[in-house]
Amino acid sequence: MSPFSYPSSPRPLVALLAALLLAVQVQATALTTLLAANERSCYYADVDGAGEKVGFYFAVQSGGNFEIDYVVMDPDDKVLLEGVAEKQGDYIFTANKVGEYSFCFENEAYTNDKLLDFDIMVESEPRRTLSAQQQPLKEHTSALEESTYKISGLLSSVTRTQKYFHTRHHRNFSTVLSTQSRIFWFTVLECVIIIAMSLLQVWILKTFFSRSGR
């Protein structure tokens, strides 16, 4: 008998592969774009089946008061989501129609350029029917599939938290730059006023003594 022992059945490995096949399939697009003043920009996502979940996230990182207008429309140009002067948004909706969905950002009412981070996610959950030979693996795949969904949910939570801190970092950094600029110009103005007052005092004293001499 060999001193090495081998697995009697490859079922755990097959169960793991089956669970991965049953995992959620996600198509996502994460972008950063600069939207100029008085500009409108649209992006599109294709939905291949009715009932799929569509996620839409955006956050204004810098520019003005961090406000932007947006509108989301279905393939029939019906408005699904819209907002005016929004700083950020995180939405999930069900796509009831197959086709191309549009996600538009409008900066036409503002005079500052805007730096935007946004995600467009199309999610589907395919379910495979287990054959007769795979029925013994049902318990293994169910447990692994549940664990996979839990891990996916935790990763989504971590990703959202990272996006939140990323947005807060950009906004706070923009506030710091704005404060530094204001302090600099206030200091320049203060120096100009001090120099002007000094020159004015010299002129007044010179005029006073000139008149006294007379």
Side-chain angles (χ1 to χ4, degrees):
M1 183 176 179
S2 173
F4 300 99
S5 60
Y6 296 91
S8 59
S9 173
R11 288 186 177 181
L13 179 60
V14 176
L16 178 60
L17 294 176
L20 293 177
L21 290 175
L22 291 173
V24 179
Q25 294 182 353
V26 178
Q27 296 178 355
T29 302
L31 295 173
T32 299
T33 183
L34 181 63
L35 195 63
N38 303 316
E39 183 181 358
R40 174 187 171 96
S41 182
C42 294
Y43 302 86
Y44 303 91
D46 291 324
V47 174
D48 299 328
E52 293 186 351
K53 299 295 183 181
V54 179
F56 175 52
Y57 165 85
F58 73 92
V60 182
Q61 303 296 332
S62 64
N65 293 322
F66 309 101
E67 73 276 27
I68 198 71
D69 302 340
Y70 71 92
V71 59
V72 179
M73 294 183 291
D74 65 4
D76 297 331
D77 293 334
K78 179 182 177 181
V79 177
L80 301 178
L81 298 169
E82 63 178 342
V84 178
E86 297 286 346
K87 295 183 178 180
Q88 67 183 61
D90 192 357
Y91 307 98
I92 297 177
F93 61 90
T94 302
N96 297 320
K97 297 181 180 179
V98 178
E100 190 176 65
Y101 286 72
S102 61
F103 304 80
C104 297
F105 298 102
E106 299 178 355
N107 198 31
E108 299 175 348
Y110 311 102
T111 57
N112 300 99
D113 297 345
K114 305 294 173 59
L115 182 65
L116 286 170
D117 279 354
F118 66 95
D119 289 344
I120 299 174
M121 180 184 66
V122 179
E123 180 180 20
S124 59
E125 298 182 358
R127 299 286 180 174
R128 292 193 174 191
T129 304
L130 296 177
S131 62
Q133 297 178 353
Q134 294 175 327
Q135 288 298 329
L137 303 177
K138 185 175 181 180
E139 295 181 359
H140 297 285
T141 55
S142 298
L144 291 173
E145 184 180 1
E146 183 179 356
S147 299
T148 302
Y149 282 124
K150 288 182 179 180
I151 293 174
S152 177
L154 293 174
L155 289 176
S156 298
S157 177
V158 171
T159 302
R160 292 175 185 272
T161 304
Q162 288 179 338
K163 290 179 180 178
Y164 170 78
F165 284 114
H166 181 68
T167 301
R168 295 296 303 174
H169 168 73
H170 273 276
R171 292 181 180 175
N172 292 337
F173 184 70
S174 178
T175 302
V176 169
L177 291 180
S178 177
T179 304
Q180 288 180 345
S181 177
R182 293 179 182 180
I183 292 175
F184 171 77
W185 290 112
F186 179 80
T187 304
V188 171
L189 179 61
E190 186 178 16
C191 292
V192 171
I193 292 175
I194 292 174
I195 294 173
M197 291 183 64
S198 300
L199 295 176
L200 180 62
Q201 289 177 352
V202 171
W203 180 79
I204 292 175
L205 290 175
K206 183 178 180 182
T207 305
F208 177 76
F209 285 108
S210 297
R211 291 180 178 179
S212 300
R214 291 178 183 178

